[in-house]
Amino acid sequence: MQTKILLSEDQMPRQWYNIIPDMPGQMFPVIHPGTLQPVTPDDLLPLFPMGLIEQEVSPQRWIDIPEEVLEVYKQWRPSPMYRAHQLEKALGTPAKIYYKYEGVSPAGSHKPNTAVPQAYYNKIFGTKRIASETGAGQWGSSIAMACQHFGLACTVYMVKVSYGQKPYRKSMMQLWGAEVFPSPSDRTNAGRAILAADPDNQGSLGIAISEAVEDAATHEDTRYSLGSVLNHVCLHQTIIGLEAKEQLKIAGDYPDVVIGCHGGGSNFAGIAFPFISDKANGKDVRVLAVEPASCPTLTKGVYEFDYGDTAKMAPIARMYTLGHDFMPPGIHAGGLRYHGAAPLVSQLVHEGVVETKAVHQIACFEAAVLFARTESIIPAPESSHAIRGAIDEALLAKEEGKEKTILFNLSGHGHVDMAAYDAYFNNELTDYEYPETAIKESLSHLPKVG
Amino acid sequence: MQTKILLSEDQMPRQWYNIIPDMPGQMFPVIHPGTLQPVTPDDLLPLFPMGLIEQEVSPQRWIDIPEEVLEVYKQWRPSPMYRAHQLEKALGTPAKIYYKYEGVSPAGSHKPNTAVPQAYYNKIFGTKRIASETGAGQWGSSIAMACQHFGLACTVYMVKVSYGQKPYRKSMMQLWGAEVFPSPSDRTNAGRAILAADPDNQGSLGIAISEAVEDAATHEDTRYSLGSVLNHVCLHQTIIGLEAKEQLKIAGDYPDVVIGCHGGGSNFAGIAFPFISDKANGKDVRVLAVEPASCPTLTKGVYEFDYGDTAKMAPIARMYTLGHDFMPPGIHAGGLRYHGAAPLVSQLVHEGVVETKAVHQIACFEAAVLFARTESIIPAPESSHAIRGAIDEALLAKEEGKEKTILFNLSGHGHVDMAAYDAYFNNELTDYEYPETAIKESLSHLPKVG
C-alpha cells in the first residue's frame, strides 16, 4: 500500500524559492517584440502588475508569499506526497518511488499555485480584468477560479479546436465566472487578421496568446496572465518542490533523481528548482524534464531568441524553441504542446544542469494505466510523461540491480481527460513521428536579435 | 476565506457506527423474492460474503474497521471539513455552514468508503469476481477501483443510456480493470428477456441490478455488490459522520442541522447516523435528507415492502418506494434516480427522526454555481441537492435573524459531470413535474408480503 506523507498547515512554506540568483552561466535579457531592444519594467506595465514584474527580475533568493495567497493555498495545500509501494512492487524494482500529488486543487492541477498569486497581485495593483489564453483548459480554468476568488473579471481565449472538443473545461471556466471565446476570435486585430486569411483556422496556443496580449495591451483596466514559461510563474510553482523536500525529510529520504513533465516548464520548475539549489550546494541529485516526442522543444529545438507567441506580440526570450509558428500534432497531452520553454529551464538545460528526454504518447498512456491500476489515482495525460520517466528510471535500476530514490511530480488528475484514455483503450492513438520538416521550416522564422 | 479542519491519520476512526441497536420502532425482516419468507443468512450466501451478511444484521453498535481497509482509506482519509465563510458572506446569513468533502477519493466521491471494505470482505471470503451495476458510473468506478486494489475481477452492468451518454465513467471503470456491459445485455436471462420484448430498451438501475444479481447467483466464484441501500453500506459510510464529529469538536461547534442528499441513502446515512445517535442521547440536532423532486421516494413514496430491482430477483425490503418498476425522468443527478431507499433511512423517516425535502434540479444547479463561485470546489450534481438544502436553511436563518450551525455532506466533485453544467448554462434543463400518474401505476405493482 501507499504511504502518504503529509505536512501540517504550519509546515507549509511561507516563501517561494527564486532560482535567479543561483543560475549558472549567462542570463539573457527579454527583448521587446517591437524595438528588438531589452524590455524595461515600464514596457511590461501594460501587461503585468508591478508586483509580478518585480518578481520576474528579482535578485532575492527567497520571496515572501503574501498572507492572502497563503490563505487560499491552504484550501488544498500542503499537497500530499505518496510513496508508490504498489507501483514499485508491480515493476519489481529495487528503486523507491515517491510522487507529489497536485491534483488535489479545486481545478485538479498545479496551475492554481500561480493563478492565485497572479490574481492577487493584479487585485492589489488595481487591475479589474485579466485576459489570458488556454489550450486544453487546465490553465484557463485555474485563472478563472483565481479571478473569481479575488473579484476580478476574466476573459479567456481558448484554442478553437479545444473549445469544440473539450466543452467540459470551457464549462468549468464559465462556472467560475469567466467569459470564454474560441480563438482566433473577431475580438482582436490578431484574431481578425488570421480569420480573414483563413476563416476555418482552428487556432493554436501561440495565436491565443497573441489575442490575450492584445486584449490586455489595448484596455487600461486589463492585464495579461500567462500560466507557464515566465520567471514569476516558475517562482510560484516552487512551493511544490519546497514542500516535497520537507516531506522527504519526514520519510528520511532524498532523491537521486527528480522528474517532471515539461510543456512550458512551470510544473517541472516547481518540483525541480528547490532540488537544483541543493545541487549547487554539492548534493548529488539529477533532474530530468520529460517532454512529448511530438513537440520536442528541449530535445530537438534550438537555444535561441524567439517570440512567445505566433503573432509576434509577446516578448522575445532566449529559450529552447521549435519556432514560434511551429504547430505541434494534436496529442492528448494538450498542456505540453508549446513551441518554447521557460527561459530559466532552457538555460539550465543549456548549462547541462537539467537532463531531458522525449517520450511517445502511447508509452505514456501505458505508464498511466499501470499507475492507475497500482496507485488508484488517474493521472492527467500531461502528468503521464513524468510517470513514464519515473518508470523508466525504476526499470533501469532493476536492470542494474541498484537501489535508487525517484521523485516525480504528479501535476494533475485525469478525470476531465477520460476521452484520451478512451482513445487509448480503443487503439485510436498515434505516436507521431518527430516532425522534422515542420520544425526546420518554423526554425527559419526566428527573429534576428542583437 | 474557508477554514479547513483536518484530522491526522491517528485521529481517523477505527470503528464504524452501526445504528441497528439504536433504531426506534419496529424493524422489519428482509424477504426472499422467491419464497416471500424472511431471508436467512444462508439465502444470502450466493450473493454476499459472510463478513458482509454478518454486518447486515449485526446487533453490535461498533464494528472494527479491518486494518487492510484502514490502509486503503488512508490514501484520502481523513477527508477535509471546511467552514464555508465565503458562501456565508455571499448569502448574508448569520448561520455557520460547514461541509465535509468526500470528493478527495481517487474516484471523486464517497462511494469508495464502502467499495473498499466490500472488496476486502469478498477477498478474504474467497470471491474471485464481483458483479455489480451502475447508473451514471460513480459506483461502478468505485467498485472497479476497489476490486483492482484487492486483485478481484469486476463486471459492471451499466444502464445503457448512461453507457452511451457517459463514456468517461465507463473509461474510468476500464482503466481500473473492470469489464463493463451496457444493460440490458444478452449475458443474463433478465437482460435477454427484456431485450426480446424491447430490443431498444435503454435500461434502468432496477434492470441493471437484476442482471448483476443473476450473474452473481449463477456463478460460484462471483458475488454481488451494491453501492447503496443495504445496512452494511450505510455502516461503512458512517466514517464520514464520525470524522465530521471530531472535526466539529476541533472547531468547538455542533450542528443544529445535518444535511445530505438522498438517492439510495448511503451518503446521507454516512453523514447523519452518527449525529442521530447523539439525538437519542438528548442532543437537539435535526437531520434532513434532500431528494430530487422528479424521483421523490421519501416525500411521495409509500413505506411498504418492495423489490430492490425491476426483475424481482433482489430481496424485498420494507422501505419508502415509488414502485420497483417506476422509471424516473432523466435528471442530471443520475446517482439519485432510484425507486427505493435504504430500509434504515426509511424507518427513521417513518418514525419522524429524519426530515425530508424534495428540490428541483434547476434550483440545485443555481446552488451549485453559487457554491463553486464562493468555495471554488465544483460539486457533483447529486451533492448539489445537499447544498440547496443547506442554503435554504441558511436563508431561513437570515430571515428569522437566528444563529444556526449547518453541516452538510459534499459527497463528490463534478469534474466528470461538466456536461450537466453546460446544459444548465445553455438553459437546456427541465424541472420535471412530479410524475404522479407514473408513480400511481408503479405503486400498484408492489408485492404482497405477510
Side-chain angles (χ1 to χ4, degrees):
Chain A
M1 201 41 219
Q2 304 139 321
T3 313
K4 181 170 61 175
I5 307 161
L6 289 179
L7 299 177
S8 70
E9 286 186 0
D10 292 344
Q11 293 171 302
M12 193 169 82
R14 260 55 183 171
Q15 298 181 307
W16 293 300
Y17 167 61
N18 178 23
I19 201 171
I20 292 178
D22 297 331
M23 285 296 282
Q26 190 197 349
M27 286 197 72
F28 295 91
V30 171
I31 303 295
H32 191 287
T35 64
L36 296 188
Q37 297 299 312
V39 294
T40 64
D42 280 356
D43 289 336
L44 293 174
L45 264 181
L47 295 185
F48 301 106
M50 192 48 87
L52 295 175
I53 295 172
E54 285 168 4
Q55 291 182 353
E56 192 64 18
V57 295
S58 172
Q60 264 186 277
R61 186 169 288 115
W62 295 99
I63 294 180
D64 288 346
I65 305 175
E67 205 52 47
E68 293 83 346
V69 172
L70 287 171
E71 281 307 303
V72 186
Y73 274 0
K74 281 181 194 165
Q75 187 183 357
W76 69 92
R77 305 209 72 85
S79 71
M81 169 178 282
Y82 294 98
R83 166 94 185 266
H85 286 295
Q86 300 277 113
L87 175 62
E88 292 168 15
K89 202 171 142 193
L91 295 171
T93 178
K96 290 185 273 188
I97 305 175
Y98 293 90
Y99 57 98
K100 180 78 171 156
Y101 182 41
E102 292 293 310
V104 291
S105 79
S109 79
H110 67 294
K111 293 290 187 188
N113 293 337
T114 184
V116 171
Q118 288 194 46
Y120 167 75
Y121 286 110
N122 271 287
K123 175 73 178 179
I124 59 170
F125 186 68
T127 304
K128 301 294 179 210
R129 181 170 69 96
I130 282 181
S132 194
E133 73 290 321
T134 200
Q138 285 273 14
W139 168 245
S141 53
S142 300
I143 190 68
M145 185 196 94
C147 285
Q148 178 70 41
H149 181 80
F150 287 107
L152 300 175
C154 182
T155 303
V156 180
Y157 295 88
M158 184 172 188
V159 176
K160 192 181 277 173
V161 61
S162 296
Y163 186 90
Q165 284 175 355
K166 307 209 178 220
Y168 284 15
R169 282 277 172 198
K170 176 184 62 184
S171 308
M172 283 173 112
M173 292 179 241
Q174 288 172 336
L175 178 51
W176 280 318
E179 49 175 11
V180 188
F181 299 101
S183 166
S185 78
D186 61 1
R187 294 173 50 88
T188 64
N189 288 329
R192 283 186 293 267
I194 287 163
L195 288 175
D198 174 13
D200 294 328
N201 189 297
Q202 289 301 295
S204 73
L205 205 50
I207 294 170
I209 294 176
S210 301
E211 291 209 274
V213 167
E214 179 183 332
D215 185 338
T218 55
H219 293 89
E220 182 59 38
D221 63 350
T222 303
R223 290 291 175 283
Y224 170 68
S225 174
L226 185 64
S228 190
V229 178
L230 301 176
N231 299 354
H232 68 265
V233 179
C234 295
L235 171 77
H236 300 153
Q237 294 292 357
T238 58
I239 191 156
I240 302 172
L242 293 169
E243 285 182 4
K245 279 171 78 164
E246 293 305 311
Q247 286 163 310
L248 283 175
K249 263 185 218 163
I250 292 172
D253 229 325
Y254 192 87
D256 296 296
V257 57
V258 177
I259 301 170
C261 64
H262 192 281
S266 76
N267 110 76
F268 173 75
I271 189 83
F273 283 6
F275 290 96
I276 290 175
S277 79
D278 288 353
K279 216 170 147 79
N281 296 326
K283 274 272 190 188
D284 187 20
V285 53
R286 293 167 52 216
V287 280
L288 172 62
V290 185
E291 65 182 6
S294 55
C295 188
T297 314
L298 298 176
T299 52
K300 302 284 186 181
V302 296
Y303 185 55
E304 296 290 353
F305 281 100
D306 198 5
Y307 299 97
D309 69 331
T310 304
K312 309 180 190 179
M313 299 189 57
I316 295 168
R318 182 92 188 246
M319 59 182 179
Y320 278 89
T321 179
L322 298 167
H324 57 273
D325 51 10
F326 172 70
M327 182 74 89
I331 57 167
H332 278 279
L336 304 183
R337 295 174 65 241
Y338 184 62
H339 70 274
L344 288 171
V345 175
S346 294
Q347 187 176 336
L348 289 162
V349 171
H350 184 68
E351 297 287 340
V353 176
V354 167
E355 299 172 37
T356 62
K357 177 175 184 167
V359 291
H360 280 290
Q361 70 174 345
I362 293 176
C364 289
F365 276 98
E366 283 168 5
V369 170
L370 178 61
F371 185 84
R373 290 184 178 175
T374 49
E375 298 294 311
S376 294
I377 297 171
I378 300 178
E382 290 80 3
S383 317
S384 75
H385 290 68
I387 300 174
R388 181 75 259 171
I391 288 178
D392 289 347
E393 288 286 334
L395 292 175
L396 186 66
K398 180 182 180 180
E399 208 177 292
E400 299 177 343
K402 275 189 193 165
E403 287 196 13
K404 187 195 285 187
T405 300
I406 299 166
L407 167 67
F408 73 90
N409 191 30
L410 186 64
S411 55
H413 72 59
H415 289 191
V416 194
D417 306 284
M418 294 310 302
Y421 284 94
D422 231 16
Y424 170 74
F425 285 120
N426 294 333
N427 294 313
E428 293 163 6
L429 291 189
T430 306
D431 276 346
Y432 295 95
E433 288 303 304
Y434 160 54
E436 195 162 1
T437 316
I439 293 174
K440 203 169 166 191
E441 168 68 19
S442 59
L443 284 181
S444 70
H445 304 155
L446 298 187
K448 311 248 175 303
V449 173
Chain B
M1 202 41 219
Q2 305 138 318
T3 313
K4 181 170 61 176
I5 307 160
L6 289 178
L7 299 178
S8 70
E9 286 185 0
D10 293 343
Q11 293 170 302
M12 192 169 86
R14 261 55 184 171
Q15 296 180 309
W16 294 298
Y17 167 60
N18 177 24
I19 202 170
I20 290 176
D22 296 330
M23 285 295 282
Q26 190 196 349
M27 288 195 71
F28 296 90
V30 171
I31 303 296
H32 192 287
T35 63
L36 296 188
Q37 296 300 312
V39 294
T40 63
D42 279 356
D43 289 335
L44 293 174
L45 265 181
L47 295 185
F48 301 106
M50 192 47 88
L52 294 175
I53 294 172
E54 284 169 2
Q55 291 182 353
E56 193 64 18
V57 295
S58 172
Q60 263 187 279
R61 186 170 286 114
W62 295 99
I63 295 181
D64 287 345
I65 305 175
E67 204 52 48
E68 294 84 346
V69 172
L70 287 171
E71 281 306 303
V72 187
Y73 275 179
K74 281 182 193 164
Q75 188 184 358
W76 69 91
R77 305 208 72 87
S79 71
M81 168 177 284
Y82 294 99
R83 165 95 185 265
H85 286 295
Q86 299 277 113
L87 175 62
E88 292 169 15
K89 203 171 140 192
L91 295 171
T93 179
K96 291 186 274 187
I97 305 175
Y98 294 90
Y99 57 96
K100 181 78 171 155
Y101 182 41
E102 293 292 312
V104 292
S105 80
S109 79
H110 67 294
K111 292 290 188 189
N113 294 336
T114 184
V116 171
Q118 288 194 46
Y120 167 76
Y121 287 111
N122 271 288
K123 175 74 180 179
I124 58 170
F125 185 72
T127 304
K128 300 293 179 213
R129 181 169 68 97
I130 283 182
S132 193
E133 72 290 322
T134 199
Q138 285 275 13
W139 169 246
S141 53
S142 300
I143 190 68
M145 185 196 95
C147 285
Q148 178 71 41
H149 181 80
F150 287 106
L152 301 175
C154 182
T155 303
V156 180
Y157 295 87
M158 184 173 189
V159 176
K160 193 182 275 175
V161 61
S162 297
Y163 185 89
Q165 283 175 354
K166 309 208 177 225
Y168 284 16
R169 281 280 171 196
K170 176 184 60 185
S171 308
M172 283 171 114
M173 292 179 241
Q174 288 172 336
L175 179 51
W176 280 317
E179 50 174 9
V180 188
F181 298 100
S183 165
S185 77
D186 61 1
R187 294 172 51 86
T188 63
N189 289 329
R192 283 187 292 269
I194 287 164
L195 287 175
D198 174 13
D200 294 328
N201 189 296
Q202 289 301 296
S204 72
L205 205 49
I207 294 170
I209 293 175
S210 301
E211 292 209 273
V213 167
E214 179 182 331
D215 185 339
T218 54
H219 293 89
E220 182 59 40
D221 63 351
T222 301
R223 290 293 176 280
Y224 170 68
S225 173
L226 185 64
S228 191
V229 178
L230 301 176
N231 299 355
H232 66 266
V233 180
C234 295
L235 171 77
H236 301 153
Q237 294 293 357
T238 59
I239 190 156
I240 302 172
L242 293 168
E243 285 183 3
K245 279 172 79 164
E246 292 307 310
Q247 286 164 309
L248 283 175
K249 264 186 215 160
I250 291 172
D253 230 327
Y254 192 85
D256 295 297
V257 56
V258 177
I259 301 170
C261 64
H262 191 281
S266 76
N267 110 78
F268 172 75
I271 189 84
F273 283 6
F275 290 95
I276 291 175
S277 79
D278 287 352
K279 217 170 147 77
N281 295 326
K283 274 272 192 187
D284 186 20
V285 53
R286 294 168 49 216
V287 280
L288 173 62
V290 185
E291 66 182 5
S294 56
C295 189
T297 314
L298 299 177
T299 52
K300 302 282 188 183
V302 296
Y303 184 56
E304 295 290 353
F305 281 99
D306 198 8
Y307 297 98
D309 70 330
T310 304
K312 310 181 190 177
M313 297 189 59
I316 294 168
R318 182 92 189 244
M319 59 181 176
Y320 278 90
T321 179
L322 297 168
H324 57 272
D325 51 9
F326 172 70
M327 181 75 88
I331 55 166
H332 278 279
L336 304 184
R337 294 174 67 239
Y338 184 61
H339 71 273
L344 289 172
V345 174
S346 294
Q347 188 177 335
L348 289 162
V349 170
H350 184 68
E351 296 287 341
V353 176
V354 167
E355 300 172 37
T356 62
K357 178 176 182 164
V359 291
H360 279 290
Q361 69 173 345
I362 293 175
C364 289
F365 276 98
E366 283 168 5
V369 170
L370 177 63
F371 185 83
R373 289 185 178 174
T374 49
E375 298 294 311
S376 294
I377 298 170
I378 300 178
E382 289 81 3
S383 316
S384 76
H385 290 69
I387 301 175
R388 180 75 259 170
I391 288 178
D392 288 347
E393 288 285 333
L395 291 176
L396 186 66
K398 180 183 180 179
E399 209 179 291
E400 299 178 343
K402 275 190 193 162
E403 288 197 10
K404 188 195 284 185
T405 299
I406 299 166
L407 168 67
F408 73 89
N409 191 31
L410 186 65
S411 55
H413 72 59
H415 288 192
V416 194
D417 305 284
M418 294 311 302
Y421 284 94
D422 232 16
Y424 170 74
F425 284 121
N426 294 333
N427 294 313
E428 292 164 6
L429 291 189
T430 305
D431 276 346
Y432 295 95
E433 288 303 306
Y434 160 55
E436 194 161 2
T437 316
I439 293 174
K440 205 171 163 187
E441 167 69 17
S442 59
L443 284 181
S444 69
H445 305 154
L446 298 186
K448 311 245 175 302
V449 173

